[in-house]
Short mmCIF file of all heavy atoms in Angstrom, two decimals:
data_model
loop_
_atom_site.label_atom_id
_atom_site.label_comp_id
_atom_site.label_asym_id
_atom_site.label_seq_id
_atom_site.Cartn_x
_atom_site.Cartn_y
_atom_site.Cartn_z
N PRO T 1 164.13 110.40 -94.58
CA PRO T 1 165.22 109.66 -93.96
C PRO T 1 164.79 108.67 -92.88
O PRO T 1 165.49 107.69 -92.66
CB PRO T 1 166.09 110.86 -93.31
CG PRO T 1 165.81 112.01 -94.16
CD PRO T 1 164.37 111.93 -94.52
N ASP T 2 163.65 108.95 -92.21
CA ASP T 2 163.20 108.08 -91.21
C ASP T 2 162.40 106.88 -91.71
O ASP T 2 161.87 106.09 -90.90
CB ASP T 2 162.39 108.78 -90.06
CG ASP T 2 161.13 109.33 -90.70
OD1 ASP T 2 160.87 109.19 -91.87
OD2 ASP T 2 160.33 109.97 -89.89
N GLY T 3 162.28 106.79 -93.02
CA GLY T 3 161.60 105.58 -93.62
C GLY T 3 160.14 105.87 -93.93
O GLY T 3 159.50 105.02 -94.53
N THR T 4 159.61 106.99 -93.50
CA THR T 4 158.23 107.36 -93.81
C THR T 4 158.19 108.05 -95.21
O THR T 4 159.18 108.38 -95.77
CB THR T 4 157.61 108.32 -92.72
OG1 THR T 4 158.37 109.51 -92.72
CG2 THR T 4 157.71 107.63 -91.36
N TYR T 5 156.93 108.32 -95.60
CA TYR T 5 156.74 109.07 -96.87
C TYR T 5 155.72 110.18 -96.60
O TYR T 5 154.65 109.97 -96.05
CB TYR T 5 156.14 108.11 -97.95
CG TYR T 5 157.02 107.00 -98.26
CD1 TYR T 5 157.07 105.79 -97.47
CD2 TYR T 5 157.88 106.98 -99.38
CE1 TYR T 5 157.85 104.75 -97.84
CE2 TYR T 5 158.68 105.91 -99.74
CZ TYR T 5 158.70 104.76 -98.92
OH TYR T 5 159.45 103.77 -99.20
N LEU T 6 156.06 111.45 -97.01
CA LEU T 6 155.30 112.59 -96.76
C LEU T 6 154.76 113.17 -98.08
O LEU T 6 155.40 112.98 -99.15
CB LEU T 6 156.06 113.64 -96.05
CG LEU T 6 156.56 113.28 -94.57
CD1 LEU T 6 157.36 114.47 -93.95
CD2 LEU T 6 155.41 112.88 -93.73
N PRO T 7 153.64 113.91 -98.05
CA PRO T 7 153.06 114.50 -99.25
C PRO T 7 154.07 115.33 -99.99
O PRO T 7 154.76 116.14 -99.36
CB PRO T 7 151.89 115.32 -98.71
CG PRO T 7 151.49 114.59 -97.47
CD PRO T 7 152.78 114.10 -96.84
N PHE T 8 154.12 115.21 -101.28
CA PHE T 8 155.00 116.02 -102.14
C PHE T 8 154.15 116.88 -103.08
O PHE T 8 154.28 118.13 -103.06
CB PHE T 8 155.95 115.19 -102.90
CG PHE T 8 156.98 115.90 -103.74
CD1 PHE T 8 157.91 116.71 -103.06
CD2 PHE T 8 157.00 115.90 -105.09
CE1 PHE T 8 158.89 117.44 -103.75
CE2 PHE T 8 157.93 116.60 -105.83
CZ PHE T 8 158.89 117.39 -105.17
N HIS T 9 153.33 116.27 -103.86
CA HIS T 9 152.39 117.04 -104.66
C HIS T 9 151.17 116.16 -105.04
O HIS T 9 151.24 114.98 -104.97
CB HIS T 9 153.03 117.66 -105.93
CG HIS T 9 153.52 116.70 -106.96
ND1 HIS T 9 154.76 116.83 -107.56
CD2 HIS T 9 152.96 115.62 -107.52
CE1 HIS T 9 154.87 115.87 -108.45
NE2 HIS T 9 153.82 115.13 -108.39
N LEU T 10 150.07 116.85 -105.45
CA LEU T 10 148.87 116.16 -105.85
C LEU T 10 148.73 116.42 -107.33
O LEU T 10 148.69 117.49 -107.88
CB LEU T 10 147.63 116.78 -105.17
CG LEU T 10 146.34 116.15 -105.51
CD1 LEU T 10 146.20 114.82 -104.76
CD2 LEU T 10 145.18 117.05 -105.16
N GLN T 11 148.69 115.26 -108.11
CA GLN T 11 148.57 115.30 -109.58
C GLN T 11 147.10 115.07 -109.97
O GLN T 11 146.46 114.07 -109.54
CB GLN T 11 149.43 114.25 -110.21
CG GLN T 11 150.91 114.38 -110.05
CD GLN T 11 151.67 113.41 -110.88
OE1 GLN T 11 151.16 112.79 -111.83
NE2 GLN T 11 152.95 113.20 -110.53
N VAL T 12 146.60 116.04 -110.80
CA VAL T 12 145.26 115.83 -111.41
C VAL T 12 145.57 115.58 -112.91
O VAL T 12 146.22 116.43 -113.55
CB VAL T 12 144.37 117.09 -111.22
CG1 VAL T 12 143.00 116.85 -111.93
CG2 VAL T 12 144.18 117.35 -109.72
N LEU T 13 145.10 114.45 -113.42
CA LEU T 13 145.40 114.07 -114.79
C LEU T 13 144.22 114.29 -115.72
O LEU T 13 143.07 114.05 -115.33
CB LEU T 13 145.83 112.54 -114.80
CG LEU T 13 147.24 112.22 -114.48
CD1 LEU T 13 147.69 112.73 -113.14
CD2 LEU T 13 147.43 110.70 -114.54
N HIS T 14 144.53 114.64 -116.96
CA HIS T 14 143.57 114.73 -118.04
C HIS T 14 144.01 113.76 -119.10
O HIS T 14 145.17 113.84 -119.57
CB HIS T 14 143.44 116.20 -118.55
CG HIS T 14 143.02 117.16 -117.48
ND1 HIS T 14 141.73 117.38 -117.21
CD2 HIS T 14 143.73 117.94 -116.70
CE1 HIS T 14 141.67 118.27 -116.24
NE2 HIS T 14 142.85 118.64 -115.92
N LEU T 15 143.20 112.83 -119.46
CA LEU T 15 143.59 111.80 -120.42
C LEU T 15 143.11 112.06 -121.85
O LEU T 15 142.10 112.76 -122.07
CB LEU T 15 142.98 110.42 -119.96
CG LEU T 15 143.24 110.01 -118.48
CD1 LEU T 15 142.65 108.66 -118.21
CD2 LEU T 15 144.70 110.14 -118.17
N ALA T 16 143.91 111.48 -122.76
CA ALA T 16 143.52 111.50 -124.15
C ALA T 16 143.72 110.06 -124.63
O ALA T 16 144.79 109.59 -124.88
CB ALA T 16 144.42 112.45 -124.98
N GLY T 17 142.63 109.37 -124.65
CA GLY T 17 142.62 107.94 -124.93
C GLY T 17 143.36 107.19 -123.84
O GLY T 17 143.06 107.41 -122.61
N ASP T 18 144.39 106.42 -124.22
CA ASP T 18 145.12 105.69 -123.17
C ASP T 18 146.48 106.29 -122.88
O ASP T 18 147.50 105.66 -122.57
CB ASP T 18 145.32 104.24 -123.55
CG ASP T 18 146.03 104.06 -124.92
OD1 ASP T 18 146.33 105.07 -125.55
OD2 ASP T 18 146.35 102.90 -125.21
N ARG T 19 146.53 107.71 -123.03
CA ARG T 19 147.73 108.44 -122.66
C ARG T 19 147.34 109.61 -121.72
O ARG T 19 146.18 110.05 -121.77
CB ARG T 19 148.44 108.89 -123.87
CG ARG T 19 149.09 107.78 -124.76
CD ARG T 19 150.26 107.20 -123.96
NE ARG T 19 150.94 106.15 -124.79
CZ ARG T 19 150.59 104.85 -124.73
NH1 ARG T 19 149.63 104.51 -123.93
NH2 ARG T 19 151.26 103.96 -125.42
N VAL T 20 148.34 110.15 -121.05
CA VAL T 20 148.09 111.34 -120.20
C VAL T 20 148.41 112.61 -121.05
O VAL T 20 149.54 112.77 -121.54
CB VAL T 20 148.98 111.36 -118.96
CG1 VAL T 20 148.78 112.56 -118.12
CG2 VAL T 20 148.64 110.10 -118.11
N ALA T 21 147.44 113.50 -121.22
CA ALA T 21 147.62 114.68 -122.07
C ALA T 21 148.00 115.90 -121.16
O ALA T 21 148.57 116.83 -121.76
CB ALA T 21 146.32 114.96 -122.85
N LYS T 22 147.61 115.89 -119.95
CA LYS T 22 147.92 117.05 -119.05
C LYS T 22 148.01 116.62 -117.66
O LYS T 22 147.21 115.79 -117.20
CB LYS T 22 146.81 118.08 -119.27
CG LYS T 22 147.09 119.44 -118.51
CD LYS T 22 145.98 120.42 -118.79
CE LYS T 22 146.19 121.72 -118.05
NZ LYS T 22 145.10 122.69 -118.33
N VAL T 23 148.98 117.17 -116.94
CA VAL T 23 149.08 116.96 -115.52
C VAL T 23 149.13 118.34 -114.80
O VAL T 23 149.95 119.16 -115.13
CB VAL T 23 150.35 116.20 -115.11
CG1 VAL T 23 150.52 116.00 -113.62
CG2 VAL T 23 150.37 114.82 -115.82
N SER T 24 148.22 118.55 -113.85
CA SER T 24 148.21 119.70 -112.97
C SER T 24 148.79 119.24 -111.59
O SER T 24 148.11 118.47 -110.89
CB SER T 24 146.87 120.33 -112.84
OG SER T 24 146.36 120.68 -114.15
N ALA T 25 149.97 119.62 -111.29
CA ALA T 25 150.62 119.20 -110.03
C ALA T 25 150.54 120.30 -109.01
O ALA T 25 151.11 121.38 -109.15
CB ALA T 25 152.08 118.83 -110.31
N PHE T 26 149.81 120.06 -107.93
CA PHE T 26 149.61 121.05 -106.86
C PHE T 26 150.61 120.74 -105.69
O PHE T 26 150.48 119.76 -104.99
CB PHE T 26 148.19 120.96 -106.28
CG PHE T 26 147.12 121.35 -107.32
CD1 PHE T 26 146.64 120.37 -108.22
CD2 PHE T 26 146.63 122.62 -107.38
CE1 PHE T 26 145.66 120.67 -109.08
CE2 PHE T 26 145.61 122.89 -108.26
CZ PHE T 26 145.16 122.02 -109.15
N PHE T 27 151.57 121.70 -105.52
CA PHE T 27 152.56 121.51 -104.43
C PHE T 27 152.00 122.17 -103.13
O PHE T 27 152.53 123.23 -102.70
CB PHE T 27 153.88 122.13 -104.86
CG PHE T 27 154.61 121.34 -105.91
CD1 PHE T 27 154.29 121.46 -107.25
CD2 PHE T 27 155.58 120.37 -105.50
CE1 PHE T 27 154.93 120.73 -108.20
CE2 PHE T 27 156.22 119.64 -106.45
CZ PHE T 27 155.91 119.74 -107.80
N ASP T 28 150.97 121.59 -102.54
CA ASP T 28 150.39 122.07 -101.36
C ASP T 28 149.93 120.84 -100.56
O ASP T 28 148.91 120.29 -100.86
CB ASP T 28 149.23 123.05 -101.61
CG ASP T 28 148.68 123.68 -100.36
OD1 ASP T 28 149.09 123.18 -99.23
OD2 ASP T 28 147.81 124.56 -100.46
N ASP T 29 150.65 120.47 -99.58
CA ASP T 29 150.36 119.24 -98.84
C ASP T 29 149.05 119.34 -98.10
O ASP T 29 148.48 118.29 -97.66
CB ASP T 29 151.47 118.80 -97.89
CG ASP T 29 151.91 119.88 -96.90
OD1 ASP T 29 151.08 120.87 -96.72
OD2 ASP T 29 152.94 119.82 -96.33
N ARG T 30 148.47 120.56 -97.85
CA ARG T 30 147.20 120.67 -97.25
C ARG T 30 146.03 120.06 -98.02
O ARG T 30 145.01 119.67 -97.51
CB ARG T 30 146.86 122.14 -96.97
CG ARG T 30 147.78 122.81 -95.95
CD ARG T 30 147.56 124.30 -95.87
NE ARG T 30 147.86 124.97 -97.10
CZ ARG T 30 147.72 126.24 -97.33
NH1 ARG T 30 147.22 127.08 -96.33
NH2 ARG T 30 148.02 126.84 -98.42
N LEU T 31 146.30 119.91 -99.32
CA LEU T 31 145.23 119.40 -100.22
C LEU T 31 145.13 117.86 -99.95
O LEU T 31 144.02 117.31 -100.31
CB LEU T 31 145.60 119.62 -101.69
CG LEU T 31 145.52 121.07 -102.12
CD1 LEU T 31 146.00 121.21 -103.56
CD2 LEU T 31 144.17 121.72 -101.93
N PHE T 32 146.10 117.18 -99.48
CA PHE T 32 146.02 115.72 -99.28
C PHE T 32 144.85 115.39 -98.38
O PHE T 32 144.08 114.46 -98.70
CB PHE T 32 147.33 115.20 -98.77
CG PHE T 32 148.37 114.93 -99.83
CD1 PHE T 32 148.85 116.02 -100.60
CD2 PHE T 32 148.89 113.70 -100.03
CE1 PHE T 32 149.79 115.77 -101.58
CE2 PHE T 32 149.79 113.49 -101.08
CZ PHE T 32 150.26 114.52 -101.80
N ALA T 33 144.75 116.02 -97.20
CA ALA T 33 143.69 115.72 -96.29
C ALA T 33 142.29 116.09 -96.91
O ALA T 33 141.34 115.36 -96.77
CB ALA T 33 143.88 116.45 -94.99
N ARG T 34 142.25 117.12 -97.66
CA ARG T 34 141.03 117.55 -98.26
C ARG T 34 140.61 116.57 -99.35
O ARG T 34 139.39 116.50 -99.76
CB ARG T 34 141.17 118.95 -98.85
CG ARG T 34 141.36 120.01 -97.78
CD ARG T 34 141.66 121.42 -98.39
NE ARG T 34 140.43 121.93 -98.98
CZ ARG T 34 140.35 123.15 -99.50
NH1 ARG T 34 141.49 123.95 -99.50
NH2 ARG T 34 139.21 123.61 -100.01
N PHE T 35 141.49 115.76 -99.90
CA PHE T 35 141.18 114.75 -100.83
C PHE T 35 141.09 113.37 -100.22
O PHE T 35 141.02 112.38 -100.94
CB PHE T 35 142.20 114.77 -102.00
CG PHE T 35 141.97 115.76 -103.10
CD1 PHE T 35 142.39 117.06 -102.98
CD2 PHE T 35 141.15 115.38 -104.19
CE1 PHE T 35 142.13 118.01 -104.04
CE2 PHE T 35 140.92 116.36 -105.23
CZ PHE T 35 141.38 117.66 -105.11
N GLY T 36 141.06 113.31 -98.91
CA GLY T 36 140.91 112.06 -98.22
C GLY T 36 142.22 111.17 -98.22
O GLY T 36 142.13 110.00 -98.02
N LEU T 37 143.37 111.84 -98.40
CA LEU T 37 144.65 111.10 -98.45
C LEU T 37 145.39 111.26 -97.11
O LEU T 37 145.31 112.30 -96.54
CB LEU T 37 145.51 111.60 -99.59
CG LEU T 37 144.92 111.40 -101.01
CD1 LEU T 37 145.80 112.12 -102.02
CD2 LEU T 37 144.94 109.85 -101.33
N PRO T 38 146.08 110.24 -96.70
CA PRO T 38 146.79 110.33 -95.40
C PRO T 38 147.93 111.33 -95.46
O PRO T 38 148.49 111.62 -96.58
CB PRO T 38 147.36 108.91 -95.18
CG PRO T 38 147.37 108.32 -96.55
CD PRO T 38 146.22 108.85 -97.33
N ILE T 39 148.29 111.94 -94.34
CA ILE T 39 149.34 112.99 -94.37
C ILE T 39 150.70 112.37 -94.15
O ILE T 39 151.67 113.05 -94.24
CB ILE T 39 149.01 114.03 -93.28
CG1 ILE T 39 148.91 113.39 -91.86
CG2 ILE T 39 147.79 114.79 -93.60
CD1 ILE T 39 148.84 114.43 -90.77
N VAL T 40 150.71 111.08 -93.82
CA VAL T 40 152.01 110.38 -93.78
C VAL T 40 151.83 108.95 -94.04
O VAL T 40 150.75 108.32 -93.74
CB VAL T 40 152.63 110.50 -92.33
CG1 VAL T 40 151.76 109.97 -91.21
CG2 VAL T 40 154.02 109.92 -92.22
N LEU T 41 152.74 108.32 -94.72
CA LEU T 41 152.68 106.84 -95.06
C LEU T 41 153.84 106.20 -94.35
O LEU T 41 154.99 106.65 -94.41
CB LEU T 41 152.86 106.64 -96.58
CG LEU T 41 151.71 107.01 -97.45
CD1 LEU T 41 152.06 106.65 -98.92
CD2 LEU T 41 150.41 106.27 -97.11
N GLN T 42 153.54 105.10 -93.64
CA GLN T 42 154.56 104.23 -93.11
C GLN T 42 154.90 103.20 -94.14
O GLN T 42 154.09 102.97 -95.08
CB GLN T 42 154.03 103.54 -91.86
CG GLN T 42 153.64 104.53 -90.73
CD GLN T 42 154.79 105.31 -90.13
OE1 GLN T 42 155.99 104.76 -90.23
NE2 GLN T 42 154.57 106.39 -89.49
#
């Protein structure tokens, strides 16, 4: 609501050619920092 964007989930993709065959979605915002991603977006 304040205009910022907060972590929701981390998607790890497995591809089959030029399509996505599998998505592993991790709903743990602690992983964002461990993957070098900011914890808040303006």
Side-chain angles (χ1 to χ4, degrees):
D2 63 359
T4 63
Y5 299 82
L6 296 181
F8 186 65
H9 66 226
L10 182 77
Q11 294 186 19
V12 180
L13 277 55
H14 301 275
L15 307 185
D18 60 352
R19 290 293 182 268
V20 178
K22 183 177 181 181
V23 178
S24 300
F26 296 83
F27 288 84
D28 184 351
D29 56 15
R30 292 173 296 179
L31 294 177
F32 277 62
R34 296 175 70 176
F35 276 87
L37 296 170
I39 59 174
V40 61
L41 288 180
Q42 301 291 339

